[in-house]
Amino acid sequence: MTDARVRIEPQDIPPELDRWNWGAFLLNWIWGVGNNTYIALLMFVPFVGLVMPFVLGAKGSRWAWRNGRWDSVEHFKRVQRLWAIWGVVILIGFLVLFGGVFGGIFYGFKHSAAYELGAEKLRASSVAANVLGTPITTGFPFGNISVNGGSGNAVLNFSASGPKASGRVFLEAIKRDGVWSIRKMMLKPDGSNHGIDIVGGAGGGTV
């Protein structure tokens, strides 16, 4: 007796649809769930997840076509275009949020009272002027600042340069009763293994 059952192969994707899928690339597993393409969940597998966005971008259209129910080629294009648009919108939103957070942190460091006090003290230092020359310019600060009401502390370092030389400044500052003061501040000229004390001990200026 002949087996009358016929195995139906998935429909081949039309050539004009077999191209890079931005929605699959940008939204990966979310796109996969929405398009019945659950192989996208491999995004959660360590190391495999690093390459899956590119695999989905390259193969996503083919898989979505085979796994979904589409009224027409235009229907498929319209849906995948919406996925791509949402992917771009979410990416832009993430970048704006990321840039806003880090921009706020950078702005806060650059305009912190501890940094401004240190830069002011450096420019007023005759020791620094002898080493670097004048005028002295300072770069962006790195380190840590913590504030709790009227108290706080800061450990920062930033570049400093003048006509004669350049170097790096390391400072420690504390905030008591709402007032910042420098505890330690050292200038280390480029090419030197020794630091130069700028404040000469605690209480080197307040703000």
Side-chain angles (χ1 to χ4, degrees):
M1 182 175 182
T2 303
D3 188 351
R5 291 176 299 176
V6 178
R7 182 173 180 271
I8 301 176
E9 296 290 343
Q11 183 179 0
D12 288 336
I13 185 172
E16 67 268 27
L17 301 183
D18 192 12
R19 57 188 180 183
W20 185 265
N21 191 309
W22 283 106
F25 175 73
L26 295 173
L27 298 176
N28 42 77
W29 71 269
I30 300 175
W31 174 93
V33 172
N35 285 271
N36 300 318
T37 305
Y38 299 106
I39 193 174
L41 296 178
L42 289 176
M43 281 291 306
F44 296 107
V45 178
F47 303 110
V48 177
L50 296 176
V51 299
M52 276 306 296
F54 300 95
V55 175
L56 290 169
K59 300 291 186 180
S61 293
R62 179 176 295 273
W63 289 337
W65 177 260
R66 293 186 175 184
N67 296 333
R69 295 181 178 180
W70 310 103
D71 298 334
S72 63
V73 168
E74 291 304 318
H75 179 214
F76 180 86
K77 287 182 177 179
R78 184 168 61 253
V79 171
Q80 297 308 313
R81 188 181 301 114
L82 287 174
W83 278 105
I85 291 172
W86 275 110
V88 171
V89 169
I90 292 174
L91 176 62
I92 293 175
F94 175 79
L95 292 176
V96 170
L97 177 62
F98 183 84
V101 170
F102 279 86
I105 293 174
F106 292 156
Y107 181 88
F109 267 63
K110 184 69 173 178
H111 293 83
S112 65
Y115 167 73
E116 291 180 344
L117 178 60
E120 178 185 350
K121 186 65 179 178
L122 181 70
R123 294 188 182 99
S125 169
S126 59
V127 176
N130 288 335
V131 175
L132 304 177
T134 57
I136 296 174
T137 58
T138 57
F140 187 86
F142 296 90
N144 179 65
I145 300 175
S146 61
V147 177
N148 184 14
S151 62
N153 60 79
V155 179
L156 300 174
N157 69 88
F158 53 89
S159 63
S161 61
K164 295 169 59 176
S166 60
R168 197 153 198 90
V169 176
F170 301 84
L171 73 83
E172 295 180 19
I174 58 173
K175 183 181 183 182
R176 290 179 180 173
D177 299 324
V179 179
W180 281 99
S181 63
I182 297 177
R183 295 182 64 246
K184 297 179 181 179
M185 185 170 174
M186 180 183 70
L187 169 64
K188 184 178 180 182
D190 291 342
S192 173
N193 295 324
H194 302 286
I196 302 171
D197 186 11
I198 298 298
V199 298
T206 60
V207 66

